[in-house]
Amino acid sequence: MGLVEKGVFGKKPLKPVTWLLNYSRKYSLWMFQWGLACCAIEMGAALASPRYDMMRLGVIPFPASPRQADLVVISGTVTDKMAPAIKRLYEQMPDPKYVISMGSCANCGGPYWDSYSVTKGVDQVIPVDIYIPGCPPRPEALLEAIVMLQERIQNEGLGNDELAQRWRGEHVVVDNAYMAARV
Amino acid sequence: MTSTETPGFEVDPALYSNLAGSQVNVELDTGDMILNLGPQHPATHGTLRLVVRLDGERVVAADPVIGYMHRGYEKLSEFRTYPQITTLINRIDWLSSFANEVPFVHGAEQLMGIEAPPRAQWIRTILTELSRIATIYLFLGEMGLQVGALTPAFWGFRDRELVLNLIESATGGRFHPNFNRIGGLKDDLPWGWIAECRTTMDKILRGCDDFEDVLVGNEIFEARTRGIGIIPGELGAAYGVSGANLRASGIDWDLRRDGKPYLAYPELDFKVWTHSDGDSFARYWVRLQETREAVRMVIQLLDGLPAGPIMAKVPRIIKVPEGEVWVETENPLGQMGYYIVSKGATGPFRVKIRSASFSNVSILPWLLRGVYVPDVITIMGSLYFILGDIDR
């Protein structure tokens, strides 16, 4: 992606080139799993259990370092003690990077909405692409979020201006209304 | 032979050897290295941070830094009503959620002077044992992962799904059932559940045999775990280690049998497994036997499930009379207890939570001194803690 950012393809790359690059990108998401709480086990089930098997969607777990990752899944309660570490490792990831916030705690604090030590929403620290509600969400919901993220990546523009504006996009929430609209 | 004598030999030999020795030490001595494990590391089951001081490959000192998952349970409990608290305490030890609810609900029932009907008690026991199986089964798989065997991890996740299906079909919640009510249970078991449970238990037993074949009899696994991280029984008890970690050190102590009677355990026939070695292998072995024992207990409970109501008569708004109570139970990770102080309101005045993992990791600085770096992961894996259970 460095080529695009440096402008080798010009201000606006050709549509087939954009399509091809996005298509390649969306099926090789290196996922940095940030397992924090209960949701981490469900994420583990989505990754490791034969029933869900996330790798068939083109998601590759366990990168050696966040510097090699495209996607981070914040799964679980973010505490004020943990938040600086999340911000630091997010900043280490190379662009373009995507964030999935998994579970109510990471979305908004969840059952700890009045706790003194919990950060109410990871979006106070880093920008979030996809929110998955649930406490904890089922592994299927995480798979659905991955599919939604892949759709978003496919429709992304690769012009320099568009890349700079990427974070201004609308957040997506995995819910029934959204899924019904898609079907 | 005066010609061979050198004038340098006149130097005091003791002084000379000292000098040489000090020179060698200065050259070979390297500074200690600080290795920071976590707060985000796959082997820490969450967010434990471990600061390890290394001399070469050997650990000189280790210091666990906890608190990355502190959510303030004890303070939050003061602002919730009793039925709301069961939602919270599900999430302390997130793998065995149902087992967390039981001591709290039991304590509130004791204060109110009511008792759940027998059928509710037995179903509670079944679900507690199922959550024990689900918890330990993940350990049986993950322990292989920690020492480099990938296959058992997939087996662990695969068969755990079957148990989660059972819990989900009975309670509606895959992870956090929140099924206990003060005075009983929310619902009865669904139709056909008992037969399904029996089939699943057979599968679990077969899975345990698989683990035994692949890991316990495997010489690589034995080499990685035997003699690693030995906890002497008395020392472990002094640190407050409990559960299978303590039983693997030869101390025959299980609150289901030795504690104050709770649930249907007094009427069950079960064996408390111990191992004399106290090393990582013993901890694995004891947990493996405990899973089989839990399966045996579930089958006994299914055979003798009494009929009757599942809810005692409780007022619509639960107000617990003034008093204090301490309830402790044997959770999958060890001794879990609640000290509830009530002032007669709809919520408790103060709740003290004694969770197993907090005491279990308190032995880590002692246990990790002098081991090699790969064994740090083995020991942490074999102690099997849940971060929510440490930090609460």
Side-chain angles (χ1 to χ4, degrees):
Chain A
M1 291 311 297
L3 291 178
V4 179
E5 278 152 28
K6 282 177 200 152
V8 171
F9 293 115
K11 273 235 155 159
K12 201 154 177 94
L14 289 174
K15 210 175 172 191
V17 177
T18 309
W19 182 88
L20 184 65
L21 279 172
N22 282 341
Y23 185 81
S24 322
R25 238 156 28 99
K26 76 173 183 180
Y27 287 131
S28 63
L29 282 171
W30 283 73
M31 175 183 147
F32 180 58
Q33 68 287 353
W34 197 297
L36 288 166
C38 334
C39 299
I41 311 292
E42 290 293 60
M43 185 175 62
L47 289 172
S49 90
R51 185 182 289 185
Y52 302 108
D53 187 18
M54 202 197 262
M55 276 193 235
R56 68 201 155 103
L57 299 177
V59 175
I60 307 154
F62 301 111
S65 127
R67 289 170 208 274
Q68 302 170 357
D70 307 308
L71 161 69
V72 59
V73 177
I74 309 286
S75 53
T77 319
V78 181
T79 55
D80 290 349
K81 192 172 179 179
M82 198 64 181
I86 289 182
K87 186 161 179 57
R88 189 170 164 193
L89 264 73
Y90 173 76
E91 281 163 359
Q92 287 180 7
M93 287 166 60
D95 251 347
K97 48 194 171 185
Y98 303 93
V99 180
I100 292 180
S101 156
M102 182 181 184
S104 296
C105 297
N107 294 345
C108 61
Y112 317 107
W113 58 275
D114 53 349
S115 168
Y116 55 84
S117 58
V118 173
T119 309
K120 280 82 183 173
V122 73
D123 47 8
Q124 295 180 15
V125 189
I126 57 175
V128 175
D129 283 86
I130 314 260
Y131 293 93
I132 315 175
C135 189
R138 298 179 60 92
E140 290 97 329
L142 182 57
L143 300 188
E144 181 66 26
I146 296 282
V147 172
M148 283 179 182
L149 182 68
Q150 285 171 342
E151 269 175 25
R152 162 174 276 207
I153 292 173
Q154 180 66 70
N155 295 324
E156 241 173 32
L158 284 181
N160 289 350
D161 307 343
E162 287 164 321
L163 276 178
Q165 295 290 319
R166 205 156 50 82
W167 296 123
R168 309 288 163 84
E170 202 178 318
H171 301 307
V172 180
V173 178
V174 181
D175 64 354
N176 288 336
Y178 186 87
M179 284 163 75
R182 284 177 65 235
V183 172
Chain B
M1 295 297 199
T2 52
S3 61
T4 54
E5 280 180 10
T6 54
F9 209 65
E10 299 297 318
V11 180
D12 183 12
L15 187 64
Y16 190 71
S17 71
N18 270 351
L19 276 174
S22 65
Q23 187 64 34
V24 166
N25 279 345
V26 166
E27 274 178 5
L28 287 186
D29 187 34
T30 52
D32 287 348
M33 178 182 154
I34 306 278
L35 181 69
N36 195 6
L37 270 164
Q40 171 54 36
H41 188 270
T44 57
H45 301 286
T47 52
L48 179 72
R49 180 174 164 212
L50 201 65
V51 182
V52 183
R53 184 186 286 275
L54 294 176
D55 177 17
E57 188 82 345
R58 197 175 274 273
V59 176
V60 179
D63 194 12
V65 182
I66 63 169
Y68 283 97
M69 201 28 65
H70 177 68
R71 293 157 291 182
Y73 273 104
E74 296 186 3
K75 193 69 191 166
L76 287 181
S77 306
E78 295 170 15
F79 296 96
R80 304 274 200 273
T81 62
Y82 284 92
Q84 285 173 340
I85 288 175
T86 52
T87 318
L88 275 185
I89 58 180
N90 265 312
R91 289 152 177 84
I92 291 179
D93 166 11
W94 44 69
L95 284 179
S96 50
S97 309
F98 193 87
N100 291 341
E101 294 173 19
V102 168
F104 182 80
V105 171
H106 209 228
E109 283 172 359
Q110 276 183 25
L111 281 175
M112 290 175 76
I114 52 175
E115 198 176 348
R119 187 175 172 85
Q121 300 272 14
W122 283 60
I123 295 175
R124 274 182 192 176
T125 323
I126 293 174
L127 288 170
T128 307
E129 289 307 313
L130 283 182
S131 68
R132 188 186 309 276
I133 294 169
T135 310
I136 301 182
Y137 220 80
L138 196 64
F139 164 80
L140 296 177
E142 288 232 332
M143 186 64 200
L145 190 65
Q146 314 291 3
V147 298
L150 204 56
T151 315
F154 296 123
W155 292 355
F157 271 110
R158 180 194 65 195
D159 290 352
R160 186 171 164 274
E161 289 288 330
L162 303 172
V163 182
L164 288 186
N165 274 1
L166 281 180
I167 296 177
E168 187 183 3
S169 58
T171 66
R174 196 177 127 86
F175 238 65
H176 299 311
N178 198 17
F179 194 53
N180 275 304
R181 298 290 181 269
I182 291 172
L185 292 171
K186 180 180 172 290
D187 267 326
D188 210 331
L189 293 176
W191 185 83
W193 193 85
I194 292 175
E196 199 190 323
C197 190
R198 282 181 205 277
T199 2
T200 308
M201 288 302 111
D202 285 346
K203 286 180 188 160
I204 294 294
L205 274 185
R206 277 209 298 279
C208 286
D209 293 343
D210 286 348
F211 282 129
E212 183 140 31
D213 288 346
V214 166
L215 284 182
V216 176
N218 188 326
E219 57 184 283
I220 302 173
F221 183 77
E222 281 200 25
R224 283 295 303 275
T225 52
R226 270 207 196 270
I228 304 296
I230 298 178
I231 302 178
E234 287 78 21
L235 189 89
Y239 267 105
V241 175
S242 56
N245 292 328
L246 193 62
R247 286 194 286 278
S249 301
I251 292 192
D252 194 5
W253 183 64
D254 190 323
L255 283 169
R256 286 174 288 178
R257 185 195 60 192
D258 307 326
K260 206 174 160 194
Y262 70 104
L263 297 185
Y265 289 117
E267 294 159 52
L268 288 181
D269 165 39
F270 64 100
K271 179 172 162 54
V272 176
W273 290 86
T274 57
H275 200 289
S276 53
D277 285 0
D279 54 4
S280 302
F281 183 84
R283 291 193 275 277
Y284 188 88
W285 188 86
V286 165
R287 288 211 176 88
L288 182 64
Q289 305 305 330
E290 260 179 27
T291 313
R292 288 177 168 153
E293 207 60 41
V295 170
R296 267 191 61 210
M297 282 154 85
V298 169
I299 290 174
Q300 278 181 52
L301 287 158
L302 291 176
D303 287 341
L305 191 63
I310 49 157
M311 207 48 197
K313 275 209 183 324
V314 283
R316 205 170 160 74
I317 295 172
I318 288 170
K319 279 194 177 175
V320 173
E322 212 165 308
E324 299 176 2
V325 70
W326 162 250
V327 183
E328 53 181 0
T329 55
E330 183 75 25
N331 264 34
L333 298 178
Q335 176 197 18
M336 173 136 198
Y338 294 89
Y339 190 81
I340 307 169
V341 181
S342 173
K343 295 272 185 191
T346 49
F349 177 72
R350 175 85 172 88
V351 177
K352 163 83 182 84
I353 305 169
R354 192 268 188 219
S355 59
S357 300
F358 180 75
S359 307
N360 285 354
V361 295
S362 70
I363 203 173
L364 270 182
W366 182 87
L367 198 57
L368 292 182
R369 206 174 295 148
V371 303
Y372 290 106
V373 175
D375 298 341
V376 173
I377 305 299
T378 312
I379 291 171
M380 292 211 302
S382 71
L383 275 178
Y384 200 41
F385 43 82
I386 301 290
L387 261 292
D389 207 27
I390 297 174
D391 294 336
R392 300 191 290 275

